[in-house]
Amino acid sequence: MSKKIATELKKEDVLQAVVLADDFTVNLNPMHNIFPSVLTPVVNIPLLDYLTETLVKCEIQELFLYCSNHIQLLKKYIKNKNFKDLNVHLIISDGCRSLGDALRDIDTKGLIRGNFILIRGDAFTNANLKNLLDWHRSKTKQDKGAAMTLVLRDLGSSNVSSQENETCMIAADNLNNRVLFHQKLNVEDKKVKLELQWFLDHDHVGIHSSLLDSHIYLCSALVLPLFSDNFDFQTMEDFIRGLLINEEILDSRIYWQKLNAEEYALPVTSWRAYDTLSREILQRRGYPLTADTMPSTKNFVYLRRSTYKHRSVTLAKGCTLERDSIICPNSKLGENTYITSSVIGENCNLGNNVRVEKSYILGDVTICDNCIIKNSVIFFNSELQHSVDINGCIIGPKLKLKSKSTYVDSVMQLDGKGGIAQTPMSKANPDTNEDLSFFKYADAGKTNSDHSDFDDGSSSEEESDLGAPLPDDTHMFLTEVIDSLLRGYQDKVKCENLILEINSSRYAYNVSIREVSYNVVKAILSLPLHYLSEIGTDHSTANYQKTLKQMLEYFHTILANYVKTEDAQEDCLRAIEDTVATNEEVLLGAQLLFNYFYNRDVLGEDKILEWYQLNDDDEDDMQKEVRSKIRKVVQPFIKWLQEAEEDSSEEEEDSD
């Protein structure tokens, strides 16, 4: 008897997750006709690869993958995949058409025991799901009617346009995180009705808006039977609404947990979300789920400004990789080809003078000379003959576009008769015959310069060593800080939010506090040059100093946060020296810099004079030369500082 109980307890301790291979939506048309949601390629990696990596890291031992479409494709994927430390079971049910039907089917099979994690197929996260599940388990022990915990991400004031119809507002008891009200917010919603009774029944009610449903749900053993007993629960919104309205009848409650600042989640609910997730993976927002650290992707070289290329890639003379881009294995780029904010998949062949901006070329695509591709998606085995111009288009698989043709805001697919069916983007949603949520206009108002004089990101076979080692974590941390501060300055993001981003990057790359203070100062000093390049302005000394002065004021809160100890002041001075060594503009602005740091109490008088009088005997010749140049530029400021100190000493002696 005791052996049987021990076996049951052992089974109960197994951490289980259920992933729905399809999310039963068509907002990613025509992707859903080609892949199940979990195999959607994001930065050339299937979503399921990211999910399984997170599950293994969080010690989930058993995964049930439920599929009702693209069954052969999923079987092939599972067969070819080596899942280490994760038992994967494929549950097949041909013809299932909703989330509710899927969960009812899973319930009848009796495969799930106790608490489990439910993940919709379009989800992406790097969150610690084990900690979240532990919290949910403790809640179920306190409240036997605890059915589900929602995992939500606070978007704050970031105003993510990709999720404009996916955010929700909740009212909850702040003492125990019990959800009292939940509503998805649409753009046109101006008012929300709240019940007075909530505030009368609960002492601490919190209203939380701008929350993003991560499409990850922590479930108790109650969830599956609740779906089985209520056939009107077809979507997750039906389930949440039904439980909140009939809480007393069903004796079931919903709770919520908010992701930590360093945790990331974003479901791919539309092409806008696909675009946002792709760019933020390239910017390492989902670390450690990045293009160059995933087990399924090897031999990628991380370049500057969030760009990557595989070692097998061939780049002809004059190629430019601007920012937020990746070139995948065995692809070839011709002379003077320009890539920015784009993904070039495997085995692609791009000709000469091709321009690709904010586009996704998914693989095995041929693009001939002089083509222009903007804000577009090109599926597998397609060909664009020379001088094709497309903007805001989705090009389906195996299409061939004729030379000198132009297409705008269209979805194009084979019509089954050998021709091309062209649908306007405004009527491309097959369910509603309305506008498909595409990413062409998602970032209206934000402009990027075509070229960057300071950090042009250009790569060629002559300039880029394919055998170069991957940059270390500190270098990648500096790159992320520069990108965060540049975006923060352009978008007027609060410094407090930027500090959270920097701290998140610090923990992601395991960077020491002294390296943080050093790299933050170094990033701010080089930032004016990045910004001037972005807006297409000359890097003159006057422009640099004017921009630096504005940025020092804007980022003062960040400087004060990281430079507040004697060690940090030494790191700050070292950052100045190292930046001057590679940038003449920073040297010429050194006096302005020291004056500002002194007046705003970033650097103390004693520390500045100690640095100025430092014995250089132990330094190498280059370091001596750099320090000598800086001393020469700031000598008038140092003289003033010394005279002020002498005057102060004389006044003290007179008073005595």
Side-chain angles (χ1 to χ4, degrees), residues 79-214:
K79 183 180 178 180
N80 295 335
K81 194 75 177 174
N82 179 23
F83 292 104
K84 189 178 180 181
D85 302 321
L86 185 66
N87 292 321
V88 179
H89 310 281
L90 197 60
I91 305 175
I92 298 172
S93 179
D94 196 6
C96 180
R97 293 293 176 263
S98 74
L99 178 144
D101 290 344
L103 295 182
R104 281 184 279 274
D105 188 27
I106 292 171
D107 187 37
T108 61
K109 289 178 168 56
L111 299 170
I112 306 301
R113 304 174 295 273
N115 297 292
F116 67 98
I117 303 172
L118 174 63
I119 305 175
R120 288 158 69 174
D122 55 14
F124 174 97
T125 188
N126 66 351
N128 191 327
L129 300 180
K130 185 177 185 299
N131 285 353
L132 292 167
L133 186 59
D134 287 344
W135 185 94
H136 172 75
R137 281 175 157 178
S138 68
K139 187 59 64 178
T140 59
K141 291 177 181 178
Q142 298 167 15
D143 178 7
K144 299 302 181 183
M148 178 180 286
T149 298
L150 307 177
V151 178
L152 305 176
R153 175 187 165 201
D154 188 355
L155 296 178
S157 59
S158 60
N159 190 27
V160 180
S161 61
S162 64
Q163 299 296 322
E164 60 188 13
N165 290 319
E166 291 296 322
T167 56
C168 64
M169 186 180 82
I170 67 169
D173 187 329
N174 285 346
L175 294 180
N176 58 17
N177 279 25
R178 178 180 162 188
V179 177
L180 308 172
F181 170 82
H182 176 281
Q183 181 175 314
K184 257 190 176 180
L185 297 178
N186 296 313
V187 176
E188 60 271 13
D189 287 340
K190 304 298 181 184
K191 295 181 180 179
V192 175
K193 183 180 178 181
L194 303 178
E195 297 291 340
L196 176 62
Q197 197 62 42
W198 303 332
F199 300 91
L200 296 176
D201 293 344
H202 302 271
D203 293 333
H204 299 276
V205 176
I207 308 297
H208 308 270
S209 60
S210 297
L211 296 175
L212 176 67
D213 185 347
S214 66

Side-chain angles (χ1 to χ4, degrees), residues 567-583:
D567 285 345
Q569 290 184 54
E570 291 177 6
D571 298 329
C572 175
L573 289 162
R574 182 165 57 91
I576 294 172
E577 291 180 359
D578 291 351
T579 311
V580 163
T582 56
N583 294 283

Side-chain angles (χ1 to χ4, degrees), residues 28 84 97 132 176 189 195 198-199 239 274 392 409 414 428 454 473 478 484 502 514 516 560 628-629 633:
L28 216 63
K84 189 178 180 181
R97 293 293 176 263
L132 292 167
N176 58 17
D189 287 340
E195 297 291 340
W198 303 332
F199 300 91
F239 177 80
Y274 181 90
D409 298 341
L414 289 174
F454 172 68
D473 286 352
L478 173 61
S484 291
I502 293 169
R514 294 202 64 171
V516 173
S628 175
K629 288 180 179 180
V633 171

Side-chain angles (χ1 to χ4, degrees), residues 369-397:
D369 297 349
N370 304 311
C371 287
I372 298 174
I373 298 98
K374 295 182 179 180
N375 310 298
S376 296
V377 179
I378 303 178
F379 279 85
F380 306 94
N381 300 304
S382 292
E383 179 182 350
L384 276 63
Q385 297 185 337
H386 73 84
S387 304
V388 171
D389 188 342
I390 62 173
N391 190 347
C393 292
I394 300 176
I395 310 299

Side-chain angles (χ1 to χ4, degrees), residues 43 264 275-287 289-292 302 305-308 323-326 341 360 443 446 448 476-477 479-484 487 490-491 501 504-505 508-509:
V43 192
Y264 180 85
D275 174 57
T276 299
L277 179 59
S278 298
R279 284 187 287 111
E280 293 190 338
I281 288 175
L282 292 173
Q283 293 165 4
R284 311 183 80 78
R285 291 287 303 280
Y287 186 88
L289 306 179
T290 62
D292 57 335
Y302 179 82
R305 298 171 71 82
S306 303
T307 58
Y308 308 73
R323 63 181 303 159
D324 300 341
S325 297
I326 184 168
S341 300
Y360 300 91
D443 294 323
K446 293 184 183 180
N448 290 322
M476 291 190 285
F477 170 75
T479 302
E480 282 210 0
V481 172
I482 291 173
D483 287 345
S484 291
R487 176 180 50 79
Q490 291 172 323
D491 297 346
E501 287 190 24
S504 176
S505 297
Y509 294 110

Side-chain angles (χ1 to χ4, degrees), residues 335-354:
E335 294 183 3
N336 301 315
T337 287
Y338 175 86
I339 311 292
T340 184
S341 300
S342 298
V343 173
I344 310 297
E346 296 185 19
N347 305 309
C348 290
N349 193 346
L350 279 64
N352 301 328
N353 303 309
V354 172

